Amino acid sequence: MLHFFDPRTDLDSEIDYGTPPATFDPTPDAELISLSIDGNEVRVPEGTSVMHAAAMAGINIPKLCATDSLEAFGSCRICLVQIEGRRGFPASCTTPAEAGMEVKTQNDKIGKLRRNVMELYISDHPLDCLTCPANGDCELQDMAGAVGLRNVRYTGQSAIPSHTHLDEKKDTSNPYFTFDASKCIVCNRCVRACEETQGTFALTISSRGFESKVSPGQDDAFMDSDCVSCGACVQACPTATLMETSIIDKGQPEHSVITTCAYCGVGCAFKADMKGDEVIRMTPWKGGKANRGHSCVKGRFAFGYATHQDRITSPMVRDSIDQPWRKVSFEEAFDFAATRIKGIQEKYGRNSVGGITSSRCTNEETYLVQKLVRAAFGNNNVDTCARVCHSPTGFGLKTTLGESAGTQTFDSVEKTDVIMVIGANPTDAHPVFGSRMKKRIREGAKLIVVDPRSIDLVNGPHVNADYHLQLMPGTNVAFVNAMAHVIVNEGLEAADFIAERCETEAFHEWKNFIADERHSPENTEQFTGIPAAYIRGAARLYATGGNGSIYYGLGVTEHSQGSSTVMGIANLAMLTGNVGRDGVGVNPLRGQNNVQGSCDMGSFPHELPGYRHISGQAVRDLFEDAWKVKLDPEPGYRITNMLDAAVEGSYKGLYVQGEDIAQSDPNTKHVEAALRNMECLIVQDIFLNETAKFAHVFLPGTSFLEKNGTFTNAERRISPVRKVMPPMPGLEDWQVTLGLSKALGYEMHYEHPSQIMAEIAALTPTFSNVTYERLDEEGSLQWPCNDDTPDGTPIMHVDGFVRGKGFFALTEYVPTEEKVTRRFPLLLTTGRILSQYNVGAQTRRTENSSWHGEDSLELHPQDAEDRGINTGDLVSLASRAGDTHLRAIVSDRMQPGVVYTTFHHPETGANVITTDNSDWATNCPEYKVTAVQVDKLISETANSEWQNQFAEFTEQQIAFIDK
């Protein structure tokens, strides 16, 4: 049997090997080279550094400028070694291992050289180790001990330059870390981390020689520079030069727990560094397979919301929303809620209540909520926030490829040659993966960006799009059809792949459809606004440029033809054979930490866990036998149906776990009217969010730091969530759901979330080999993980599609009903920003608001000039649904006729503007296309009518908590 050395699995993530592996691909044992280090035989892949080879043998060569997350640099000269037959003492970090090489890492000459070098470092370094915040976690301190430094000769003014760095001032401008230049040894690790890992290039070394120093930008403060506060520089720093404020204030942690970030769909693994039950720091874990040791400002630093003073930790009830809350016990809250729900069903019928699961809660908690709705409520009126974001992904990929999820692992981007980003902004919404993407582009991959707005990837540091196809919002289907038209009509399709892997009849029908001249770039230009030559060039590049990968986001799905565009994207991938191997695929960038998992767990009204339709008798039999209850075979209400029925008066009860539909869902006035009509609104959350202000029952929730469970990220990776502190309300979220279900008359019996996962695995084929024991041992698993694929499935559809043969779906372009008019001549599209997350409930309660304290409206200079608007002006943004007021930013990121805003701050009311248009197949709202008008306001203090009502209502509801 052929054996391999695989650096992804065979290296210990707790060891710093000094330099990266020579390759991340498995190397057959027969191709490994052998060398001797201190008399020990070591076998490594060719190209491995001597330092890395020594570390693999358990031999630690001293180092300062080297770390295995960065390429070798060779500047500190501490890692000198002696090689038989060579002159001098080469740096082990930059010297490749060779077959037969004999290396000495320690002798008297080497020791003396290292001490001399270390002596020079210490001569320009404060000797305040006992009071230094890095004391106990300082590589300079460790290396001084390792080389045996016992005294420093260069301490007199005659012996060293007249100027030192000891009096450099601290930069405390960043709320999360301090830059103390007096402790900098100019090892370059922070600069290289900013370049190689993050790709922002915000740091540099200014001046030369002894005057050299690290500089953010042109000697700017960190907050005034291009720094994005990802923390890579802080993590790379071997001294106290760059140090977390939390460590400075509270000291070094004493233990760590590995868990998974609760922000976006990347699913980064972190070490929660603890003192007792207090989180001191979140450090990205090198063994995390989604993030590979990197992080962003949210996951790295914005965890303080978990203990924010706004947390509500006691259950509360009230008879109506114009009354103060009454604090009660959990049992009283459960009984109150259950009595109301039962009374509603007796009065209005079984289908008059339902639930919404959370994409921020764990798989186990989401599973229980949908189980409660089906077993205790007795209907299928359950939905999730994926309805308003990625439900078209589920429909479109299931139809074409056979599975409702992305095809790749994040590592796959390292093998891609052409990247097409459609309707996504990875550097803001998925920044850790965005950094990996930028690295691949710097290495030579080509880039096509399809977006109405000029995102950072279009023109950034050492990253430029080969094509920026700046289409008009609402014309995605016309675009993908035009791309396919060029590929088909120019004979660029992967004929062998299609013949072997796809349905022949469906392909020929689709080919005749797409070859029609109405889909040509010249004929679609009138809709998309993209010059025909650009589309032809981009199509040729994607079809012929090697491994082609497509990454898309909400700019694809949140349209009236979202499902059609997803199918069109899958068509493109199949047409070019870009499915089923590394470096290719169809990759939906999921917005929330567990939006994939909430879908997997059966949160849609027509599907049980594992995407199996509720109407299937065999599937229902399986769940009925396990749950000991009869299930309704008819699909239930979607969120949109629930809200419409509530306004009409036939839907009166709703259990919402960890979602804020009053802020996140479109047409806010309609949502609010629905919530006001509820007779029992149960909200389970950690804060009194906008939806909870309309609630009758508030069940306090727990943050990801207070619970055990799992999240599933955008690459189908199931990762462990581990409790690091006691739940502040006393119960974890899954226990709250159990209590409510019991009060409703349906008792569930679990003692730990691992038992819930065991039930999920028993009932869901794609999860059948998933256990907590395996997750703790292996770090994560990608579904499908079953007897057919016991180690999980990094790449989907390798030998065949899940549905058998790939299906080419017809995707006729149907223009959106949301059109510009004389009254509303502009198109509004929405998105996210780096420092804030979703509705902002978490990030607004951290220092992240230092970067983005309010939502603003971006508009093109020409549109601004036409209206007399300057950056900073207060403007009115109005649509047929409503109006709001916010500040303007005049920006050439926009194209004329298109404006853009975010939705992170509830007082802005961005969704007061959006309408009830939705995707034809899934009812996913059309957030990305709203006809609007923008006008400059004369008064600088004016609020819209809705904003005034919002402020008054919010003040009242907050007062009701305190009474």
Side-chain angles (χ1 to χ4, degrees):
M1 182 178 177
L2 190 62
H3 292 279
F4 291 85
F5 170 77
D6 187 349
R8 295 290 196 199
T9 57
D10 294 340
L11 295 180
D12 188 341
S13 62
E14 299 303 316
I15 295 175
D16 185 348
Y17 292 86
T19 63
T23 175
F24 285 102
D25 293 329
T27 303
D29 283 358
E31 296 179 14
L32 299 177
I33 62 171
S34 179
L35 69 157
S36 172
I37 302 179
D38 293 341
N40 301 288
E41 183 186 6
V42 186
R43 301 184 73 233
V44 298
E46 188 174 3
T48 300
S49 73
V50 169
M51 176 181 283
H52 190 108
M56 288 176 62
I59 300 168
N60 297 314
I61 299 174
K63 60 186 183 297
L64 281 174
C65 73
T67 184
D68 60 13
S69 64
L70 304 173
E71 296 299 323
F73 195 60
S75 71
C76 75
R77 316 314 291 176
I78 294 292
C79 71
L80 307 177
V81 295
Q82 194 168 27
I83 300 174
E84 185 71 27
R86 295 195 185 183
R87 297 176 59 186
F89 300 87
S92 61
C93 64
T94 56
T95 302
E98 296 178 5
M101 181 180 276
E102 295 184 17
V103 180
K104 288 286 186 183
T105 70
Q106 183 64 50
N107 57 36
D108 289 344
K109 288 184 178 180
I110 295 171
K112 184 176 181 180
L113 285 170
R114 288 174 180 164
R115 284 190 293 274
N116 285 344
V117 173
M118 182 60 71
E119 196 174 358
L120 291 171
Y121 279 117
I122 298 301
S123 71
D124 189 30
H125 193 83
L127 299 179
D128 59 351
C129 292
L130 293 180
T131 57
C132 177
N135 188 20
D137 187 25
C138 174
E139 291 182 49
L140 183 67
Q141 191 179 62
D142 294 342
M143 291 305 106
V147 303
L149 183 66
R150 297 294 176 261
N151 61 77
V152 179
R153 292 166 292 171
Y154 312 115
T155 57
Q157 286 298 317
S158 60
I160 60 174
S162 59
H163 170 70
T164 69
H165 299 101
L166 300 181
D167 295 326
E168 295 282 348
K169 293 182 178 180
K170 293 181 182 179
D171 178 357
T172 58
S173 60
N174 191 291
Y176 292 125
F177 59 84
T178 292
F179 174 54
D180 185 354
S182 71
K183 292 182 168 141
C184 180
I185 61 173
V186 200
C187 65
N188 248 285
R189 273 164 61 165
C190 61
V191 176
R192 290 148 54 209
C194 191
E195 295 174 359
E196 297 176 26
T197 305
Q198 170 57 29
T200 296
F201 293 80
L203 302 180
T204 188
I205 301 293
S206 64
S207 300
R208 301 183 67 181
F210 190 78
E211 301 298 322
S212 299
K213 63 178 183 178
V214 173
S215 171
Q218 298 297 311
D219 288 325
D220 298 323
F222 264 87
M223 279 298 280
D224 298 329
S225 72
D226 292 332
C227 171
V228 294
S229 298
C230 67
C233 61
V234 179
Q235 189 172 358
C237 182
T239 70
T241 306
L242 286 156
M243 179 61 64
E244 296 94 339
T245 304
S246 59
I247 298 293
I248 295 172
D249 292 343
K250 299 179 180 180
Q252 294 292 334
E254 45 82 16
H255 76 278
S256 298
V257 179
I258 295 172
T259 191
T260 304
C261 180
Y263 280 115
C264 78
V266 174
C268 297
F270 277 87
K271 283 185 174 180
D273 294 328
M274 311 292 297
K275 268 194 170 184
D277 60 6
E278 182 180 10
V279 180
I280 303 298
R281 173 178 64 192
M282 296 293 287
T283 305
W285 183 44
K286 189 172 70 172
K289 296 172 185 176
N291 57 318
R292 301 292 180 189
H294 190 34
S295 61
C296 79
V297 63
K298 294 187 286 290
R300 182 71 156 88
F301 297 116
F303 56 86
Y305 71 88
T307 53
H308 194 273
Q309 62 183 6
D310 288 351
R311 282 286 300 267
I312 299 177
T313 58
S314 297
M316 303 186 299
V317 299
R318 58 183 175 179
D319 293 319
S320 65
I321 66 171
D322 59 358
Q323 295 179 356
W325 288 99
R326 305 192 309 273
K327 290 184 179 180
V328 296
S329 68
F330 270 111
E331 288 69 25
E332 289 174 297
F334 296 151
D335 289 342
F336 182 96
T339 299
R340 284 222 165 181
I341 291 293
K342 291 176 182 177
I344 289 170
Q345 289 187 297
E346 288 176 8
K347 182 176 180 181
Y348 298 99
R350 182 164 50 89
N351 285 316
S352 59
V353 300
I356 297 176
T357 72
S358 176
S359 292
R360 288 195 283 273
C361 290
T362 64
N363 285 315
E364 294 78 2
E365 290 159 352
T366 300
Y367 175 84
L368 291 189
V369 172
Q370 64 85 31
K371 181 177 179 179
L372 177 149
V373 171
R374 293 191 159 102
F377 288 177
N379 60 46
N380 293 308
N381 293 341
V382 62
D383 211 345
T384 186
C385 85
R387 175 67 54 206
V388 299
C389 61
H390 268 286
S391 52
T393 287
F395 179 90
L397 296 186
K398 185 84 169 180
T399 300
T400 52
L401 308 182
E403 192 57 270
S404 300
T407 62
Q408 308 297 113
T409 177
F410 286 143
D411 286 345
S412 173
V413 75
E414 297 171 4
K415 301 292 181 65
T416 194
D417 300 305
V418 180
I419 299 170
M420 182 151 52
V421 178
I422 310 176
N425 188 3
T427 57
D428 275 22
H430 304 85
V432 170
F433 177 69
S435 292
R436 298 185 72 177
M437 182 181 285
K438 289 191 292 184
K439 183 175 183 179
R440 180 61 190 142
I441 295 166
R442 293 196 303 275
E443 292 170 345
K446 302 297 183 182
L447 174 64
I448 303 166
V449 173
V450 187
D451 201 290
R453 187 168 170 260
S454 181
I455 61 174
D456 287 348
L457 284 177
V458 171
N459 186 13
H462 301 276
V463 171
N464 291 279
D466 295 271
Y467 290 94
H468 177 206
L469 307 181
Q470 200 166 18
L471 80 176
M472 289 297 292
T475 62
N476 289 338
V477 172
F479 156 72
V480 294
N481 285 348
M483 290 279 287
H485 176 91
V486 172
I487 294 168
V488 165
N489 283 21
E490 295 188 7
L492 305 178
E493 69 268 30
D496 291 344
F497 178 91
I498 295 167
E500 179 185 350
R501 299 282 301 272
C502 302
E503 289 187 13
T504 302
E505 184 177 344
F507 171 69
H508 287 301
E509 182 182 2
W510 175 85
K511 185 176 181 180
N512 291 333
F513 160 80
I514 210 70
D516 191 283
E517 278 304 305
R518 73 181 188 277
H519 300 305
S520 71
E522 289 75 17
N523 286 327
T524 57
E525 183 175 341
Q526 62 180 313
F527 306 117
T528 65
I530 306 171
Y534 287 13
I535 287 189
R536 290 192 176 277
R540 293 163 185 154
L541 176 60
Y542 175 69
T544 66
N547 286 340
S549 57
I550 299 176
Y551 296 88
Y552 71 88
L554 304 184
V556 161
T557 57
E558 291 178 344
H559 287 269
S560 62
Q561 282 201 284
S563 294
S564 298
T565 306
V566 173
M567 292 189 292
I569 287 170
N571 289 344
L572 281 177
M574 292 187 293
L575 181 65
T576 54
N578 279 311
V579 184
R581 63 183 186 278
D582 268 332
V584 299
V586 178
N587 304 276
L589 295 175
R590 301 279 188 164
Q592 297 195 58
N593 55 299
N594 200 37
V595 70
Q596 179 69 58
S598 69
C599 299
D600 300 341
M601 293 299 103
S603 293
F604 288 135
H606 66 292
E607 289 176 331
L608 287 161
Y611 303 99
R612 289 165 292 172
H613 204 279
I614 190 69
S615 63
Q617 184 65 55
V619 175
R620 280 203 320 282
D621 287 346
L622 180 68
F623 282 89
E624 288 175 350
D625 181 62
W627 293 353
K628 310 303 179 188
V629 69
K630 196 72 174 175
L631 298 179
D632 187 341
E634 293 299 320
Y637 285 165
R638 298 171 174 178
I639 291 176
T640 48
N641 306 134
M642 296 180 194
L643 297 176
D644 289 345
V647 171
E648 294 166 2
S650 61
Y651 188 87
K652 291 293 186 177
L654 181 63
Y655 172 31
V656 183
Q657 183 191 68
E659 291 297 336
D660 193 2
I661 59 175
Q663 184 179 344
S664 64
D665 282 33
N667 196 348
T668 299
K669 294 178 181 179
H670 179 69
V671 177
E672 291 178 345
L675 296 179
R676 288 181 187 276
N677 261 10
M678 297 284 179
E679 294 182 8
C680 184
L681 175 59
I682 308 164
V683 171
Q684 184 175 342
D685 210 288
I686 61 177
F687 302 115
L688 190 79
N689 62 23
E690 304 313 309
T691 305
K693 294 171 185 176
F694 296 90
H696 306 90
V697 180
F698 183 87
L699 301 174
T702 47
S703 72
F704 77 111
L705 297 169
E706 304 160 66
K707 63 178 70 173
N708 290 300
T710 56
F711 293 150
T712 306
N713 75 349
E715 50 172 2
R716 297 168 283 102
R717 185 178 302 283
I718 308 160
S719 299
V721 179
R722 295 297 178 254
K723 181 165 62 176
V724 303
M725 53 191 279
M728 291 177 66
L731 297 178
E732 297 178 38
D733 283 315
W734 64 275
Q735 294 172 311
V736 173
T737 302
L738 291 190
L740 177 59
S741 187
K742 182 179 179 180
L744 287 163
Y746 181 78
E747 190 165 1
M748 307 184 214
H749 302 279
Y750 309 99
E751 298 298 325
H752 189 270
S754 60
Q755 297 172 339
I756 306 172
M757 177 54 73
E759 180 173 307
I760 294 167
L763 296 173
T764 311
T766 50
F767 276 64
S768 63
N769 278 11
V770 177
T771 66
Y772 272 39
E773 291 75 17
R774 288 197 67 186
L775 290 172
D776 287 338
E777 179 182 342
E778 300 178 41
S780 62
L781 293 164
Q782 286 178 270
W783 68 258
C785 182
N786 48 35
D787 290 342
D788 294 331
T789 55
D791 296 324
T793 310
I795 306 296
M796 293 282 287
H797 317 296
V798 173
D799 298 316
F801 291 104
V802 172
R803 69 185 308 278
K805 296 283 189 177
F807 178 75
F808 281 83
L810 302 185
T811 54
E812 189 69 70
Y813 169 58
V814 179
T816 174
E817 295 178 1
E818 187 70 10
K819 294 177 170 55
V820 295
T821 63
R822 291 182 62 184
R823 184 182 176 192
F824 301 115
L826 305 173
L827 287 179
L828 169 70
T829 189
T830 62
R832 299 181 179 184
I833 201 164
L834 172 64
S835 59
Q836 297 289 350
Y837 171 68
N838 201 263
V839 296
Q842 296 149 274
T843 44
R844 281 186 284 108
R845 291 176 171 91
T846 70
E847 293 293 342
N848 279 31
S849 290
S850 301
W851 288 275
H852 187 75
E854 63 179 0
D855 295 315
S856 302
L857 184 74
E858 289 185 19
L859 69 167
H860 186 270
Q862 185 60 60
D863 294 324
E865 182 179 344
D866 291 344
R867 292 161 176 79
I869 295 172
N870 297 304
T871 293
D873 286 346
L874 192 65
V875 298
S876 167
L877 177 66
S879 73
R880 61 182 173 86
D883 70 295
T884 190
H885 298 170
L886 66 172
R887 301 271 170 198
I889 296 177
V890 180
S891 171
D892 58 9
R893 284 179 179 266
M894 306 310 301
Q895 58 180 303
V898 180
V899 297
Y900 169 89
T901 191
T902 52
F903 59 99
H904 304 302
H905 295 267
E907 65 272 14
T908 302
N911 282 321
V912 172
I913 307 302
T914 52
T915 69
D916 53 6
N917 281 2
S918 65
D919 174 53
W920 63 271
T922 65
N923 287 131
C924 181
E926 192 171 38
Y927 291 103
K928 304 305 182 189
V929 188
T930 305
V932 297
Q933 177 59 290
V934 178
D935 292 302
K936 182 177 179 178
L937 292 169
I938 298 175
S939 171
E940 278 292 304
T941 59
N943 283 333
S944 69
E945 180 182 355
W946 178 87
Q947 286 173 315
N948 284 328
Q949 293 170 352
F950 170 85
E952 182 181 346
F953 182 64
T954 297
E955 182 180 359
Q956 177 194 57
Q957 293 301 315
I958 292 174
F960 283 163
I961 300 176
D962 299 330
K963 289 185 178 180

